Amino acid sequence: MKEKIELEFILRTSPAILYNRLSSASGLSEWFADDVNLKGQIYTFVWDGAEQQAELIAKKENKFIRFHWLDDEEKDTYFEFLINVDELTGETALLVTDFIEADEKESSIELWNQQIDQLKQVLGSA
């Protein structure tokens, strides 16, 4: 049984610009993977020559996008990017939800931190 983690990151950018980096193959290839190909609802992510495929299962423009890894046997797991704008401060927060093996929690969180750092650099928000 996988464990659900939720991480929050503050990004200095607009929801529309951020959503493009989270949902388009070209945007995702700038920070999430070495290369990303999109065919229908299937995103193929490439890291160091290895491919992993995820299906887009839900999205709302400038709000959120949710994927399910095709090789994950647990059908109710996903990873999701949720964009939340604070009404008082106007800050744009990115909430990352992922399901991970319990023994991989620290390394998974560290990997997300590194990837979001890369996203911040791409956005000029670092």
Side-chain angles (χ1 to χ4, degrees), residues 8-113:
E8 182 176 9
F9 304 92
I10 302 298
L11 301 170
R12 289 194 297 275
T13 189
S14 74
I17 290 171
L18 180 56
Y19 184 80
N20 181 51
R21 293 301 196 290
L22 304 174
S23 61
S24 70
S26 60
L28 285 161
S29 67
E30 288 184 50
W31 68 278
F32 187 70
D34 298 335
D35 194 19
V36 182
N37 298 301
L38 176 59
K39 194 175 228 175
Q41 300 296 306
I42 305 298
Y43 287 70
T44 302
F45 299 97
V46 181
W47 289 278
D48 297 325
E51 292 186 357
Q52 191 172 7
Q53 291 186 313
E55 181 179 8
L56 171 65
I57 52 176
K59 69 176 180 177
K60 183 173 182 186
E61 191 168 352
N62 300 339
K63 288 286 182 195
F64 80 94
I65 186 159
R66 180 181 290 184
F67 300 92
H68 173 75
W69 293 115
L70 294 183
D71 61 3
D72 191 339
E73 291 169 9
E74 292 185 37
K75 294 294 173 221
D76 55 352
T77 61
Y78 58 88
F79 68 102
E80 178 182 85
F81 302 121
L82 175 72
I83 301 167
N84 189 19
V85 179
D86 187 300
E87 288 182 25
L88 293 175
T89 64
E91 283 185 326
T92 300
L94 174 62
L95 283 82
V96 176
T97 303
D98 197 4
F99 287 82
I100 54 171
E101 301 292 344
D103 61 349
E104 295 175 2
K105 185 172 182 176
E106 276 185 38
S107 61
S108 294
I109 290 171
E110 179 60 32
L111 182 61
W112 276 117
N113 285 332

